[in-house]
Amino acid sequence: GQNIDQPTEMTATEGAIVQINCTYQTSGFNGLFWYQQHAGEAPTFLSYNVLDGLEEKGRFSSFLSRSKGYSYLLLKELQMKDSASYLCAVLDSNYQLIWGAGTKLIIKP
Amino acid sequence: IAGITQAPTSQILAAGRRMTLRCTQDMRHNAMYWYRQDLGLGLRLIHYSNTAGTTGKGEVPDGYSVSRANTDDFPLTLASAVPSQTSVYFCASSGLAGRTDTQYFGPGTRLTVL
């Protein structure tokens, strides 16, 4: 079966750095997405990785290792508005997105 | 403003009733999707459409039907609602199916079936 694993909840302090991990086992791989979802709102796109390595976009970076079936999202200089759920999703061999359950990130002042 | 709209925002429905959730996009995207999101679970694909006139079944299609008469609209129908269909429903679209295009989501419909 296909499986995406991420921690259920994480807590971090304003101004700090946090790393949210995602491991996956899917039938095929055509890329990995990270989305942000604030409570009661729709998911919004953060990043896409298809090749190994780190993609940096402002305060957010995303890393992929295809051989390990592993990705992480790195958030720097945390702000209160970063409190949200972060969803990891893998595009499988049929180009369908398989979603993790999401990691709820709580930012404390 | 370009994007995806969904209606209604929320709905309480008696079991056994028929309900259609509406979804409209103005980005001229070919592919559209319906997901449900339940607490503790990832988004699960109900149905999808790669282009106008075609539809396909996702992971959890039972009890739901869709149609894609044109590019912009992709309604989801619950023929006879059951309490297990209580969920938040998201419609999404992407430029091209079978590609790595980003999916963009509508604001969601919160449905409660009693």
Side-chain angles (χ1 to χ4, degrees), chain B residues 21-106:
Chain B
L21 309 185
R22 300 185 297 279
C23 174
T24 299
Q25 55 103 358
D26 63 1
M27 297 179 284
R28 307 307 293 173
H29 282 172
N30 282 322
M32 296 187 75
Y33 314 85
W34 273 105
Y35 292 94
R36 60 178 290 171
Q37 187 175 42
D38 302 292
L39 199 62
L41 299 177
L43 287 160
R44 291 183 291 169
L45 183 65
I46 304 170
H47 284 286
Y48 64 93
S49 169
N50 289 337
T51 189
T54 69
T55 62
K57 294 182 179 180
E59 180 186 355
V60 288
D62 294 343
Y64 306 94
S65 64
V66 292
S67 61
R68 187 88 184 277
N70 57 60
T71 298
D72 299 344
D73 301 300
F74 191 42
L76 176 74
T77 297
L78 289 67
S80 179
V82 295
S84 62
Q85 292 177 312
T86 293
S87 188
V88 180
Y89 291 85
F90 288 103
C91 179
S93 71
S94 64
L96 290 172
R99 295 279 297 275
T100 57
D101 288 352
T102 300
Q103 291 187 15
Y104 296 92
F105 286 79

Side-chain angles (χ1 to χ4, degrees), chain A residues 30-31 33 35 37 39-48 50 87 91 94-102, chain B residues 33 35 37 40-45 48 57-59 90 97-108 110:
Chain A
N30 282 300
F33 290 82
Y35 279 75
Q37 185 177 26
E41 298 183 8
T44 55
F45 170 75
L46 284 178
S47 67
Y48 169 71
V50 67
L87 314 181
L91 204 59
N94 294 319
Y95 290 94
Q96 290 195 353
L97 274 176
I98 309 301
W99 295 82
Chain B
Y33 314 85
Y35 292 94
Q37 187 175 42
L41 299 177
L43 287 160
R44 291 183 291 169
L45 183 65
Y48 64 93
K57 294 182 179 180
E59 180 186 355
F90 288 103
R99 295 279 297 275
T100 57
D101 288 352
T102 300
Q103 291 187 15
Y104 296 92
F105 286 79
R110 185 175 296 274

Side-chain angles (χ1 to χ4, degrees), chain A:
Chain A
Q2 308 204 88
N3 196 49
I4 310 278
D5 285 319
Q6 11 176 173
T8 302
E9 186 174 297
M10 299 182 69
T11 301
T13 304
E14 190 177 16
I17 299 172
V18 70
Q19 177 176 312
I20 302 174
N21 296 326
C22 171
T23 59
Y24 62 89
Q25 290 179 307
T26 56
S27 56
F29 180 84
N30 282 300
L32 185 144
F33 290 82
W34 283 96
Y35 279 75
Q36 181 189 59
Q37 185 177 26
H38 285 101
E41 298 183 8
T44 55
F45 170 75
L46 284 178
S47 67
Y48 169 71
N49 295 68
V50 67
L51 299 176
D52 289 351
L54 187 68
E55 295 275 346
E56 297 187 75
K57 192 184 295 185
R59 293 189 299 115
F60 292 8
S61 303
S62 55
F63 172 84
L64 175 67
S65 168
R66 288 172 297 173
S67 63
K68 295 182 178 178
Y70 168 70
S71 173
Y72 67 73
L73 181 68
L74 191 72
L75 291 72
K76 303 176 184 177
E77 302 170 13
L78 286 170
Q79 302 175 10
M80 298 303 293
K81 68 179 181 180
D82 297 331
S83 292
S85 289
Y86 292 86
L87 314 181
C88 173
V90 171
L91 204 59
D92 71 6
S93 57
N94 294 319
Y95 290 94
Q96 290 195 353
L97 274 176
I98 309 301
W99 295 82
T103 298
K104 182 178 181 180
L105 178 63
I106 299 168
I107 309 296
K108 295 186 174 180

Side-chain angles (χ1 to χ4, degrees), chain B residues 2-25:
Chain B
I4 303 179
T5 58
Q6 292 184 236
T9 302
S10 65
Q11 182 75 45
I12 299 174
L13 189 66
R17 298 296 295 270
R18 180 184 179 90
M19 175 75 191
T20 295
L21 309 185
R22 300 185 297 279
C23 174
T24 299
Q25 55 103 358

